[in-house]
C-alpha cells in the first residue's frame, strides 16, 4: 500500500475523474481517500454513513433481482463483452473447496504458480459464490450472505487487446448512472489496494449512500510489494454485488427481502412471525454498521443497537431476532441448494463441514422458535423462484432434498444424545473450556448457544465457528515424495501411450541413483500415477520393484545394480499390465454408473488400481443399500457389454473444460496447461494419465466385492474386473457346488435350505439358553441353602 500511496495520481486517478471533475478528498471520519463530485467531507462507506437509501432509493426506477442481471448483461454485451455461463460453486479446477469470488472462475495452476485463463476477452459473468467466513453476520447487516451473486467484469490487457482502468471505470460509471439510474453525484470512489498470493494492484471501490456496490481491482504487478515487476498482461477484475445492485434500486428495509423473492414472505407466513415494523425499519438503517467480529461479539452488538434505538435488549430480541433468523434460514437454504446441486457433499472435512455448519444453524433457528417449517421446503421454494435463471437447480432437487433429509436425521439423533449432556452441565453448573465447547459441537452437535439457552452462563468465544471450521479444513497430506534431483536428466521417452503393445524393448541406462533407482532413455514401464499401480517386470535381468515419475523423468527401482551407460533388455509383465488396465477402465465405468444411479453429487474421492483388485472411493452421503449396489453393478456391466470405444484426446485445458465440463477433474485440479482426456462415449470424460482398454468390452466383467461407508461423505467400492473377476466368480461357484452336494440340494434350493438350517439353529440356541437358565437357578438355589 505504501508503494501505491506514494503516487496516487498514477494508481487511482482515471480519465473519468479528470473529465467530469471528480475531486480527491480524505474522509474526515475514517481517513480513507475518496473521489467525489460533491463537497462532501465524509466518504460513502457504511462505517461513515448509515444505509440512507432505505425507504428512499437514489435510483430512479426499482429493478427486480433478475431484471438487474438482464440489464447489466445487455449493457456489457452491447459494449463488446462475452457473457459467460456461471461456473459451479464447488470448485473443481483450482485447489479451493468453493468458488469464493467471480475471478476464481479464471484461476488455474501452472507449474506451481497462479495463472489466469479467460475463455473470452473481455467478458462478464454472474458467478454464484459461497463464502463461510462471515456466518454470524448473515441475517444481521444485509450485506452478508453465505451464498451470493458476484457480477464480474474482466479484461486482460496487453496494450493492444482488452482494456485497462480508464475504460473499466468509464463502463462502470455508465452502468451505474444510465442502467441503474443513480445520479452521478451520489457515487463515490474509495481508494484501496488488493493483495493476492503473488500479485497485487490498486483498486477503486464504488459506494452509494453507505453501501459498497462494487470493487474494480487493477491487478498490475506480480510478486509482493517488496519484490515485484509489472505484468505483461494486466487484469481488470471488477466484482459487483448482484444483491446490492438490486437493493440500491429498491431501498427495502433489508436486501434479503428483494433478493429471495417470495421465499421470505412464505417463511414469515409459515412461521407466523409478528414484529414492530417501525422499529425494524429504524434498526435496518443502522444495520450497515453492525459487525459481529473479534471485537464485538453478538451480545455487545445487541446492547449497542438497543441503546441506539432507545429500547431494551429484550424488546430488540423479541422484534428483530426472529426476522434475522428468517433471513439466515433463507440464506443457508439457498447456499445448500447451490452447493449440493453442484456436487457438494455434507461431511466432517473441508468444505463439506461448512455445509454441515450452516445446515445445523438453520435447523437450530427453526428449533429455537419451534417453527413448523421444513428446511427442504425452503430449499424447494428457492429452486422454483430461481428456475428462470438456474433451471439446473430444479433438475437436481430430488437428490438435494434427500441429502438434507439424511443430514437432518443425523442432527436430530445427535441432538437427542446431546440434550442429556447439556442438562448435566447445567445441573453441575460447569463452564466448559473452549476446547470442550469444540468437542461438544463436533462429536455431540451441541452448539454453545444451546448451552446459553439452557441457562448456563458462558461467553461464546469470538469466531467460534470460524475456528472450528478451520480445524476441519486442514486436510492431511501424507505420502512421501521421492527426492531425487533430476534437473540434469533429460525427460524419459514414453512408450506406453503411443505404443501400448510394446512390452519388450531395449534401452540405455542414462542415470543411476542410490538404492537401485535407474533412469532409462525410453521406457514402456508405467509409473505409479493417477491411482494406477506401477508396472513390474525385468530390466537387464533385474527384477523391477517400483516405478515412479518425477517431473518428466521416470525412475525404476531394480533389485540389484545396473551400470550407467549400459544397454539393457527390458520386459514388462504383460499380464499384470492387462489386469491393471482393465481395473483402471472399470474404475471409470463404475464411477459413471454410480453417478447415474446415485446422483450428480457423486465424484471420485480417490481410487487405487492393483493387480488383484481395485477400489474406488466416491463422495456420497450414506452407505449404499444392497439394491443400489446391484443397480450400479448391473449398469456397469451393461456399459461393458455395449462395447463403447474409449477415446484419448490431448487438448488445452480451457478447451477440455468447455467441451466436457469440470467433471473431468475427477482426480483433482491439474497444474498443466494440456490435459489428456479419456472418454467413454458420452458417459464419462476424465483427465487421466492411466493406461486404458480401447473398447469397454475388453473389460470383460465387473464384479463388486463389497462397499463400505469409510468416512463421513465417502463410500468405498471394492471390485475386480476381467480375468480376476471371472476367476473369483468361478471360485464362488465351486464353493456353492460343494455346499450343495454336501446338503444334497440343487443351487436353486440352497437359499431355502440355508434358511431352514438357520431357523433350526436359532430354535436350538433358544432351547440351550432356556436350559442354562434353569441350571443356573438350580445352582443358586443350592448355594442359598
Ligand atoms: Zn469514511
Ligand atoms: Zn483414470
Amino acid at each position: 500500500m505504501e508503494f501505491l500511496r506514494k503516487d496516487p495520481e498514477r494508481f487511482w486517478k482515471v480519465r473519468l475523474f479528470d473529465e467530469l471533475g471528480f475531486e480527491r478528498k480524505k474522509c474526515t471520519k475514517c481517513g480513507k481517500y475518496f473521489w467525489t463530485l460533491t463537497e462532501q467531507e465524509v466518504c460513502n462507506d457504511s462505517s461513515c454513513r448509515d444505509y440512507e437509501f432505505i425507504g428512499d432509493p437514489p435510483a430512479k426506477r426499482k429493478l427486480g433481482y433478475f431484471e438487474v442481471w438482464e440489464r447489466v448483461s445487455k449493457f456489457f454485451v452491447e459494449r463488446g463483452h462475452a457473457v459467460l455461463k456461471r461456473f459451479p460453486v464447488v470448485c473443481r479446477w483450482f485447489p479451493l473447496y468453493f468458488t469464493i469470488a467471480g475471478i476464481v472462475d479464471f484461476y488455474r495452476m501452472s507449474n506451481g504458480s497462479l495463472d489466469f485463463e479467460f475463455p473470452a476477452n473481455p467478458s462478464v459473468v454472474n458467478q454464484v459464490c459461497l463464502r463461510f467466513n462471515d456466518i454470524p453476520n448473515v441475517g444481521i447487516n444485509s450485506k452478508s450472505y453465505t451464498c451470493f451473486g458476484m457480477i464480474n467484469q474482466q479484461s486482460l490487457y496487453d496494450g493492444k487487446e482488452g482494456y485497462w482502468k480508464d475504460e473499466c471505470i468509464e463502463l462502470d460509471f455508465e452502468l451505474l448512472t444510465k442502467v441503474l439510474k443513480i445520479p452521478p453525484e451520489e457515487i463515490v470512489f474509495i481508494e484501496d489496494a488488493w493483495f493476492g498470493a503473488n500479485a497485487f494492484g490498486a483498486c477503486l471501490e464504488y459506494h452509494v449512500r453507505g453501501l459498497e456496490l462494487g470493487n474494480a481491482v487493477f491487478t498490475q504487478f506480480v510478486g509482493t510489494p517488496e519484490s515485484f515487476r509489472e505484468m505483461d498482461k494486466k487484469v481488470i477484475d471488477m466484482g459487483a454485488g448482484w444483491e446490492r445492485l438490486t437493493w440500491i434500486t429498491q431501498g427495502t428495509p433489508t436486501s434479503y427481502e428483494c433478493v429471495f423473492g417470495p421465499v421470505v414472505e412464505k417463511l414469515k407466513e409459515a412461521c407466523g412471525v409478528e414484529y414492530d415494523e417501525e422499529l425494524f425499519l429504524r434498526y435496518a438503517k443502522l444495520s450497515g454498521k453492525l459487525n459481529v467480529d473479534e471485537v464485538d461479539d453478538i451480545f455487545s452488538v445487541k446492547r449497542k443497537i438497543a441503546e441506539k434505538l432507545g429500547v431494551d435488549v429484550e424488546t430488540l430480541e423479541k422484534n428483530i431476532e426472529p426476522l434475522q433468523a428468517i433471513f439466515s434460514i433463507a440464506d443457508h437454504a439457498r447456499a445448500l441448494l447451490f452447493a449440493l446441486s453442484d456436487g457438494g457433499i455434507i461431511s466432517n472435512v473441508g468444505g463439506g463441514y461448512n455445509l454441515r455448519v450452516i445446515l445445523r444453524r438453520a435447523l437450530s433457528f427453526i428449533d429455537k422458535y419451534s417453527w413448523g417449517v421444513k428446511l427442504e421446503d425452503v430449499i424447494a421454494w428457492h429452486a422454483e423462484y430461481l428456475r428462470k435463471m438456474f433451471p439446473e437447480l430444479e433438475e437436481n432437487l430430488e437428490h438435494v432434498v434427500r441429502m438434507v433429509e439424511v443430514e437432518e436425521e443425523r442432527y436430530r439423533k445427535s441432538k437427542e444424545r446431546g440434550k442429556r449432556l447439556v442438562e448435566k452441565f447445567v445441573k453441575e453448573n460447569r463452564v466448559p473450556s473452549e476446547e470442550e465447547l469444540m468437542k461438544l459441537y463436533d462429536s455431540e452437535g451441541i452448539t454453545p448457544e444451546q448451552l446459553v439457552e439452557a441457562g448456563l452462563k458462558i461467553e461464546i468465544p469470538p469466531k467460534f465457528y470460524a475456528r472450528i471450521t478451520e480445524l476441519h479444513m486442514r486436510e492431511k497430506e501424507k505420502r512421501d515424495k521421492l527426492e531425487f534431483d533430476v534437473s540434469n536428466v533429460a525427460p524419459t521417452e514414453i512408450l506406453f501411450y503411443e505404443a501400448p503393445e510394446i512390452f519388450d524393448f531395449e534401452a540405455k541406462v542414462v542415470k543411476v541413483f542410490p538404492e537401485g533407482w535407474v533412469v532409462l532413455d525410453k521406457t514402456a514401464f508405467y509409473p505409479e500415477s493417477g491411482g494406477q499401480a506401477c508396472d513390474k517386470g525385468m530390466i537387464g535381468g533385474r527384477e523391477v520393484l517400483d516405478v515412479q515419475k518425477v517431473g518428466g523423468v521416470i525412475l525404476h527401482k531394480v533389485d540389484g545394480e545396473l551400470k550407467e551407460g549400459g544397454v539393457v533388455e527390458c520386459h514388462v509383465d504383460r499380464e499384470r499390465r492387462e489386469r491393471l488396465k482393465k481395473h483402471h477402465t472399470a474404475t471409470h465405468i463404475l464411477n459413471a454408473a454410480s453417478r447415474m444411479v446415485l446422483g450428480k453429487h457423486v465424484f471420485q474421492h480417490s481410487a487405487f488400481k492393483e493387480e488383484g483388485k481395485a477400489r474406488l472411493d466416491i463422495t456420497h452421503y450414506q452407505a449404499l443399500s444392497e439394491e443400489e449396489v446391484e443397480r450400479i453393478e448391473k449398469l456397469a456391466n451393461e456399459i461393458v457389454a455395449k462395447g463403447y470405444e474409449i477415446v484419448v484426446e490431448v487438448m488445452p485445458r480451457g478447451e477440455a473444460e468447455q467441451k466436457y465440463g469440470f467433471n473431468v477433474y475427477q482426480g483433482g485440479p491439474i497444474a498443466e496447461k494440456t490435459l489428456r482426456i479419456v472418454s467413454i462415449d458420452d458417459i464419462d470424460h476424465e483427465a487421466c494419465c492411466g493406461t486404458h482398454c480401447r473398447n469397454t468390452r475388453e473389460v470383460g466383467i465387473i464384479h463388486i466385492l463389497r462397499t463400505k461407508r469409510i468416512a463421513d461423505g465417502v463410500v468405498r467400492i471394492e471390485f475386480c474386473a476381467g480375468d480376476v473377476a471371472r476367476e473369483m466368480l468361478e471360485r464362488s461357484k465351486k464353493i456353492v457346488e460343494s455346499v450343495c452336494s454336501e446338503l444334497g440340494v440343487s443351487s436353486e434350493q440352497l437359499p431355502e435350505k440355508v434358511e431352514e438350517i438357520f431357523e433350526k439353529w436359532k430354535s436350538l440356541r433358544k432351547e440351550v439358553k432356556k436350559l442354562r437358565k434353569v441350571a443356573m437357578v438350580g445352582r443358586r438355589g443350592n448355594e442359598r441353602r
Side-chain angles (χ1 to χ4, degrees):
M1 193 76 172
E2 277 305 302
F3 158 70
L4 300 172
R5 274 270 169 271
K6 273 184 209 146
D7 200 351
E9 296 264 319
R10 177 181 162 205
F11 293 114
W12 284 291
K13 194 160 113 180
V14 289
R15 194 164 57 200
L16 183 92
F17 294 170
D18 265 344
E19 278 174 9
L20 297 186
F22 271 86
E23 264 183 70
R24 184 170 190 253
K25 290 189 170 175
K26 187 175 183 177
C27 176
T28 53
K29 255 186 162 170
C30 69
K32 280 187 200 155
Y33 289 93
F34 65 98
W35 296 79
T36 175
L37 287 169
T38 69
E39 291 300 308
Q40 68 188 87
E41 297 292 315
V42 168
C43 80
N44 279 2
D45 188 272
S46 62
S47 58
C48 301
R49 285 180 77 171
D50 288 343
Y51 283 162
E52 286 161 30
F53 58 93
I54 288 179
D56 175 28
K60 292 265 145 49
R61 237 200 97 206
K62 289 181 181 174
L63 295 178
Y65 193 45
F66 300 121
E67 207 181 357
V68 164
W69 174 238
E70 270 163 31
R71 291 188 181 217
V72 171
S73 54
K74 184 165 170 272
F75 169 84
F76 279 109
V77 167
E78 285 167 359
R79 281 149 191 82
H81 292 66
V83 177
L84 307 176
K85 250 183 81 189
R86 80 163 174 106
F87 285 50
V89 297
V90 175
C91 183
R92 304 287 191 200
W93 57 93
F94 190 76
L96 277 170
Y97 288 109
F98 298 114
T99 310
I100 53 169
I103 196 72
V104 170
D105 292 356
F106 317 107
Y107 280 1
R108 296 294 180 279
M109 292 299 288
S110 290
N111 304 316
S113 66
L114 174 67
D115 228 355
F116 290 95
E117 282 183 14
F118 298 101
N121 191 28
S123 64
V124 285
V125 63
N126 188 349
Q127 181 57 43
V128 179
C129 302
L130 296 183
R131 269 192 210 177
F132 299 98
N133 54 352
D134 199 24
I135 295 174
N137 284 313
V138 174
I140 289 187
N141 67 14
S142 258
K143 283 182 295 192
S144 299
Y145 286 81
T146 60
C147 174
F148 57 93
M150 197 182 257
I151 295 179
N152 234 78
Q153 161 198 11
Q154 47 274 331
S155 155
L156 192 65
Y157 176 68
D158 61 1
K160 287 182 272 21
E161 257 190 68
Y163 55 78
W164 189 228
K165 55 188 175 187
D166 285 339
E167 285 89 336
C168 169
I169 294 298
E170 275 159 14
L171 283 167
D172 297 343
F173 188 75
E174 195 184 349
L175 177 77
L176 294 174
T177 52
K178 299 240 172 84
V179 179
L180 300 177
K181 308 238 191 280
I182 296 170
E185 61 277 10
E186 293 276 2
I187 303 161
V188 151
F189 291 91
I190 299 179
E191 296 179 359
D192 207 343
W194 174 85
F195 297 93
N198 194 38
F200 69 101
C203 63
L204 282 169
E205 300 171 346
Y206 40 96
H207 295 243
V208 173
R209 294 200 197 179
L211 187 65
E212 180 185 353
L213 296 177
N215 185 10
V217 176
F218 316 127
T219 313
Q220 191 172 358
F221 303 101
V222 219
T224 60
E226 287 74 46
S227 155
F228 59 86
R229 63 174 175 82
E230 190 144 353
M231 295 165 111
D232 305 326
K233 291 183 176 182
K234 303 190 236 309
V235 178
I236 290 284
D237 161 24
M238 191 292 292
W242 184 18
E243 288 74 21
R244 294 176 187 201
L245 294 185
T246 311
W247 192 25
I248 199 83
T249 76
Q250 295 208 17
T252 45
T254 73
S255 68
Y256 307 115
E257 292 153 296
C258 60
V259 163
F260 294 141
V263 176
V264 166
E265 272 316 308
K266 281 186 186 172
L267 259 167
K268 277 190 199 165
E269 211 181 288
C271 303
V273 173
E274 279 172 25
Y275 62 103
D276 181 342
E277 281 190 37
E278 186 270 336
L279 179 69
F280 189 79
L281 193 64
R282 284 203 291 133
Y283 155 79
K285 287 180 187 172
L286 286 181
S287 67
K289 291 198 177 59
L290 301 180
N291 204 6
V292 180
D293 58 19
E294 292 278 4
V295 192
D296 287 325
D297 61 38
I298 186 80
F299 301 110
S300 63
V301 164
K302 245 191 243 177
R303 269 194 303 277
K304 274 187 200 164
I305 318 169
E307 209 173 290
K308 278 202 175 149
L309 295 174
V311 296
D312 51 33
V313 173
E314 207 176 287
T315 311
L316 186 78
E317 283 179 348
K318 216 180 97 206
N319 281 288
I320 312 265
E321 284 187 358
L323 270 180
Q324 290 173 339
I326 294 265
F327 300 143
S328 296
I329 294 169
D331 167 82
H332 296 352
R334 192 168 79 147
L336 286 165
L337 172 61
F338 273 102
L340 299 177
S341 181
D342 280 5
I345 200 131
I346 301 168
S347 82
N348 215 12
V349 288
Y353 191 69
N354 292 128
L355 302 180
R356 173 162 292 163
V357 167
I358 57 164
L359 187 139
R360 293 190 168 189
R361 190 168 186 261
L363 291 177
S364 69
F365 282 128
I366 292 173
D367 287 358
K368 180 179 172 181
Y369 296 103
S370 311
W371 283 333
V373 71
K374 284 174 79 181
L375 193 57
E376 300 92 282
D377 291 341
V378 186
I379 288 172
W381 297 338
H382 276 304
E384 197 193 341
Y385 173 58
L386 294 167
R387 175 171 37 189
K388 202 172 156 189
M389 254 181 84
F390 308 108
E392 66 276 16
L393 298 175
E394 267 199 335
E395 285 161 28
N396 299 332
L397 190 60
E398 198 191 315
H399 287 296
V400 171
V401 165
R402 183 75 196 115
M403 279 188 251
V404 171
E405 279 170 353
V406 169
E407 182 64 18
E408 195 170 335
E409 223 176 276
R410 283 190 195 131
Y411 168 76
R412 299 271 169 236
K413 271 189 195 147
S414 78
K415 204 179 162 190
E416 202 43 52
R417 272 200 314 271
K419 232 164 113 184
R420 272 164 269 149
L421 263 166
V422 173
E423 279 162 15
K424 205 168 157 243
F425 268 100
V426 176
K427 216 168 132 196
E428 294 169 8
N429 199 16
R430 201 155 69 79
V431 176
S433 67
E434 185 169 350
E435 244 158 80
E436 274 182 294
L437 281 177
M438 287 192 178
K439 227 177 131 196
L440 282 172
Y441 182 83
D442 259 358
S443 44
E444 310 296 338
I446 301 170
T447 63
E449 286 85 359
Q450 254 173 286
L451 292 169
V452 175
E453 275 156 35
L456 208 62
K457 297 238 174 330
I458 55 160
E459 289 273 325
I460 299 173
K463 296 234 166 180
F464 176 78
Y465 293 102
R467 236 170 258 171
I468 204 160
T469 303
E470 202 196 318
L471 276 180
H472 287 263
M473 291 303 236
R474 289 184 210 143
E475 260 192 321
K476 286 161 226 133
E477 179 89 36
K478 353 176 211 306
R479 246 200 113 71
D480 301 323
K481 276 247 158 153
L482 280 185
E483 278 181 35
F484 289 119
D485 182 14
V486 292
S487 52
N488 290 322
V489 185
T492 312
E493 188 192 331
I494 288 171
L495 303 172
F496 45 80
Y497 286 146
E498 302 289 304
E501 68 286 350
I502 293 182
F503 292 96
D504 307 304
F505 61 102
E506 255 183 20
K508 198 174 152 193
V509 179
V510 293
K511 180 89 188 161
V512 173
F513 287 102
E515 291 174 36
W517 289 96
V518 297
V519 180
L520 307 173
D521 61 342
K522 58 173 175 287
T523 189
F525 282 91
Y526 181 82
E528 183 192 341
S529 58
Q532 181 177 331
C534 69
D535 282 341
K536 293 211 170 144
M538 305 293 278
I539 294 178
R542 311 276 180 205
E543 197 189 334
V544 176
L545 305 172
D546 195 1
V547 187
Q548 296 287 334
K549 194 175 175 199
V550 179
V553 177
I554 293 174
L555 291 128
H556 315 72
K557 186 184 167 76
V558 295
D559 187 15
E561 271 175 37
L562 286 170
K563 257 210 206 106
E564 212 166 275
V567 172
V568 283
E569 290 269 335
C570 309
H571 307 284
V572 175
D573 179 342
R574 186 179 189 137
E575 203 176 325
R576 178 180 162 87
R577 159 78 71 76
E578 287 294 317
R579 289 181 165 185
L580 287 170
K581 193 172 88 177
K582 284 176 187 173
H583 277 154
H584 198 148
T585 302
T587 309
H588 287 218
I589 294 173
L590 268 176
N591 196 8
S594 307
R595 202 158 49 235
M596 287 183 221
V597 170
L598 304 171
K600 269 173 66 180
H601 60 278
V602 168
F603 205 79
Q604 179 178 303
H605 180 264
S606 66
F608 199 71
K609 291 76 95 169
E610 290 171 87
E611 197 186 347
K613 66 174 184 219
R615 60 162 204 258
L616 166 69
D617 294 348
I618 55 166
T619 56
H620 187 55
Y621 50 89
Q622 63 183 357
L624 302 186
S625 70
E626 217 169 291
E627 192 239 331
E628 283 168 334
V629 175
E630 266 168 34
R631 276 170 62 204
I632 292 168
E633 191 180 67
K634 184 160 174 271
L635 187 57
N637 282 302
E638 276 167 17
I639 295 170
V640 170
K642 284 260 168 69
Y644 292 120
E645 251 187 84
I646 296 164
V647 180
V648 175
E649 296 164 275
V650 175
M651 58 167 88
R653 177 162 57 188
E655 200 184 311
E657 290 171 358
Q658 292 292 313
K659 199 167 169 189
Y660 300 123
F662 298 99
N663 265 0
V664 296
Y665 295 116
Q666 293 285 327
I670 296 177
E672 273 159 48
K673 284 183 178 293
T674 311
L675 300 183
R676 182 176 185 264
I677 301 289
V678 177
S679 297
I680 301 174
D681 199 60
D682 207 20
I683 296 167
D684 189 71
H685 308 280
E686 294 184 29
C688 175
C689 56
T691 59
H692 283 280
C693 305
R694 297 205 161 152
N695 185 298
T696 56
R697 208 175 282 132
E698 286 173 37
V699 175
I701 192 168
I702 296 175
H703 178 52
I704 296 180
L705 300 167
R706 63 188 73 83
T707 70
K708 189 174 182 241
R709 181 169 175 248
I710 55 162
D712 215 355
V714 184
V715 171
R716 171 163 296 172
I717 302 174
E718 283 183 16
F719 64 96
C720 53
D723 297 343
V724 183
R726 195 163 297 123
E727 282 160 22
M728 189 158 299
L729 289 173
E730 257 156 38
R731 265 206 306 279
S732 359
K733 203 177 139 205
K734 278 201 183 117
I735 293 171
V736 170
E737 276 168 4
S738 83
V739 172
C740 285
S741 86
E742 195 74 27
L743 297 172
V745 292
S746 71
S747 61
E748 285 79 25
Q749 293 164 320
L750 188 57
E752 208 179 310
K753 188 76 190 168
V754 170
E755 174 107 32
E756 188 192 310
I757 295 173
F758 185 62
E759 286 303 323
K760 215 181 232 170
W761 175 77
K762 272 203 307 198
S763 74
L764 279 175
R765 197 177 56 162
K766 250 192 210 156
E767 201 63 29
V768 170
K769 264 192 183 164
K770 233 196 254 163
L771 288 173
R772 261 200 205 135
K773 239 187 200 163
V774 172
M776 287 265 261
V777 171
R779 209 182 303 148
R780 263 187 221 141
N782 286 337
E783 278 163 12
R784 233 172 262 158
R785 220 173 272 160

